[in-house]
Amino acid sequence: MASADPVLDALDAKGGESRFVGGCVRNAILNRPIDDVDIATTLAPDEVIEALEAAGLKAVPTGIEHGTVTAVSQSRGFEITTLRRDVSTDGRRAVVAFTTDWAEDAQRRDFTLNALYASRDGTLHDPTGRGLADAKAGRIVFVGDAGRRIAEDHLRILRFFRFLAWYGKGEPDADALAACAAGKASLSALAAERVSKELLKLLAADDPRPAVALMEKTGVLAEILPERPGLAAFDGLVEIETEQLFLNDPLLRLAALLPDDQLAAAKAAERLRLSNDERDRLVEAMGKTPRITSWMSPRESRRAVYRIGTQAFGDRIKLAWARATRTAATHQWRGLLALAESWTPPPFPLTGEDVLNSGVPKGPMVGQVLREVEDWWIDHDFIDDKFSAIEKLKAVAQGMAY
């Protein structure tokens, strides 16, 4: 990657040895898209900062206590971390010591397929001796003892299932599964934000159903989603997204894992510390009014879109579709989604000023009249005739007792 060259040049000039590490190496081997580019180096954090600044690059000490500095080159961030080993851990955070031993650094990483390094000339380094083979075979295997890796960071339980969903093939590693099941209670000690972030990443995989089924079997899912009603709706939603070529929607998949109830969705969102927008979307997806059915008429559909918005209407359709037992209505559900995507709700043609001009005095009566006329307008399928709306307003206003 060309934008990484100035960073590596700066580190090389300081006399350190630096290599690409982790996800970017793994994905390059597997011909997968590369998002983040991480670099490991033998330089100490203060030396990294000095090297970057000497080269005119921005250095941000994003995790200096753990040896991490972010370099900015050509408007892109590169996370640079000094080789390290764990001194002590409590399952949530670690105290580290810096080292120059690549094998020692590899031993503190989570999975063998993530403990891969590559020099800038393309030379691959596999300190565990099995990372390359495991990556190609789709084996998600902890580095060393699985229980010890989980004790170092409890989030690695969820990371195991996330990597299983994204990269796993064949039978999952038995030792890893057993260690995740044995350590599942430790998930309660993690910050909710870390759990929800990892869960949504997992649910964004093309087909997370096998991984989620294993989470259910091992009891891990119950630890983070105790209110889950089962996996039927979730499985149905992923199947629909796959068959209909919809984009993977991790938040809606989370909704499918929750009870079909707004209060339960709100409580789950609070427990997982989701953002306000994520919480609101989950809650709206569980709404019961208006009722969503596969046999809704176009007129009823437009009315629903106007009332609850395109996003909530589409979410409710997909969830209702996923929970339905009949598959014959596929074309009807698809038609409802197409209508929602193609129809833009028109603005209501009247304002409070129009109501005042009709003779209604200022006060709460203005809103009441406006709502009654709007209901009439909606019932008439959003009639595109302001004159008719004005005439209706006059009739309503005349019938009101001021």
Side-chain angles (χ1 to χ4, degrees):
M1 180 174 292
S3 55
D5 287 339
V7 177
L8 294 172
D9 288 342
L11 298 176
D12 289 348
K14 192 68 174 176
E17 183 182 5
S18 304
R19 301 171 181 171
F20 297 110
V21 64
C24 62
V25 180
R26 176 198 64 230
N27 282 17
I29 291 169
L30 299 176
N31 293 317
R32 299 278 194 99
I34 296 174
D35 297 319
D36 300 323
V37 177
D38 296 336
I39 299 170
T41 183
T42 57
L43 294 174
D46 57 340
E47 293 177 311
V48 171
I49 293 174
E50 291 172 4
L52 294 173
E53 291 179 344
L57 298 173
K58 183 177 181 180
V60 183
T62 45
I64 199 72
E65 70 279 5
H66 292 107
T68 302
V69 176
T70 297
V72 181
S73 172
Q74 300 178 22
S75 301
R76 176 159 189 166
F78 297 86
E79 195 171 272
I80 306 168
T81 302
T82 302
L83 303 187
R84 55 195 178 174
R85 60 181 173 81
D86 288 334
V87 174
S88 64
T89 61
D90 64 2
R92 293 176 295 174
R93 60 186 70 83
V95 176
V96 302
F98 302 128
T99 180
T100 57
D101 187 333
W102 293 93
E104 196 170 30
D105 183 77
Q107 286 302 311
R108 71 170 303 279
R109 295 184 179 273
D110 50 11
F111 309 112
T112 56
L113 82 171
N114 290 335
L116 292 168
Y117 306 78
S119 301
R120 66 190 303 184
D121 64 3
T123 302
L124 186 68
H125 305 273
D126 186 2
T128 69
R130 58 174 300 174
L132 178 60
D134 286 344
K136 290 184 174 180
R139 291 189 295 263
I140 315 302
V141 180
F142 281 98
V143 174
D145 181 73
R148 182 175 178 180
R149 294 288 84 77
I150 288 172
E152 292 167 349
D153 184 353
H154 306 319
L155 191 68
R156 285 172 172 168
I157 294 174
L158 295 184
R159 283 176 62 82
F160 170 77
F161 290 104
R162 194 242 292 186
F163 279 93
L164 197 63
W166 279 89
Y167 300 99
K169 300 176 186 176
E171 289 296 316
D173 183 69
D175 290 341
L177 272 182
C180 289
K184 62 181 181 293
S186 64
L187 291 169
S188 62
L190 294 171
E193 292 85 353
R194 294 186 74 199
V195 172
S196 60
K197 183 178 180 180
E198 198 65 36
L199 178 61
L200 289 174
K201 286 182 178 179
L202 186 162
L203 295 178
D206 283 342
D207 189 357
R209 287 175 292 182
V212 171
L214 282 173
M215 291 173 70
E216 175 75 353
K217 183 177 180 180
T218 56
V220 169
L221 193 62
E223 291 291 330
I224 57 176
L225 294 178
E227 62 275 85
R228 76 219 177 284
L231 302 184
F234 170 75
D235 290 346
L237 178 62
V238 176
E239 181 178 351
I240 289 167
E241 289 178 330
T242 302
E243 291 181 350
Q244 301 297 318
L245 301 180
F246 296 148
L247 293 176
N248 301 343
D249 192 332
L251 192 66
L252 193 61
R253 289 174 174 182
L254 174 58
L257 285 169
L258 297 173
D260 187 14
D261 174 80
Q262 288 187 307
L263 181 58
K267 288 181 177 179
E270 176 64 25
R271 191 183 67 256
L272 292 169
R273 295 291 188 271
L274 298 181
S275 69
N276 290 341
D277 287 344
E278 290 170 332
R279 176 204 61 207
D280 292 345
R281 186 183 170 198
L282 277 185
V283 172
E284 282 300 311
M286 305 299 186
K288 298 297 183 292
T289 305
R291 182 173 175 240
I292 303 299
T293 66
S294 63
W295 57 86
M296 292 178 74
S297 68
R299 182 171 178 172
E300 290 172 322
S301 300
R302 286 190 288 270
R303 184 182 305 174
V305 171
Y306 183 81
R307 290 296 193 191
I308 66 177
T310 303
Q311 177 76 77
F313 183 69
D315 287 347
R316 292 186 194 183
I317 286 173
K318 290 178 182 177
L319 289 176
W321 187 357
R323 294 186 178 107
T325 56
R326 294 172 56 190
T327 59
T330 292
H331 68 286
Q332 293 170 281
W333 292 118
R334 196 65 180 87
L336 291 176
L337 287 173
L339 182 148
E341 293 166 359
S342 62
W343 183 71
T344 301
F348 181 48
L350 303 184
T351 66
E353 189 67 27
D354 293 315
V355 179
L356 292 173
N357 290 339
S358 72
V360 177
K362 289 184 178 180
M365 190 70 71
V366 172
Q368 183 179 339
V369 170
L370 205 58
R371 285 189 295 273
E372 184 169 338
V373 178
E374 184 180 24
D375 288 341
W376 168 87
W377 176 71
I378 294 171
D379 287 340
H380 284 72
D381 204 18
F382 311 97
I383 184 172
D384 186 18
D385 181 359
K386 185 172 182 177
F387 176 78
S388 296
I390 291 291
E391 290 301 305
K392 178 62 178 179
L393 169 60
K394 292 177 181 179
V396 172
Q398 289 174 0
M400 289 286 184
Y402 305 149

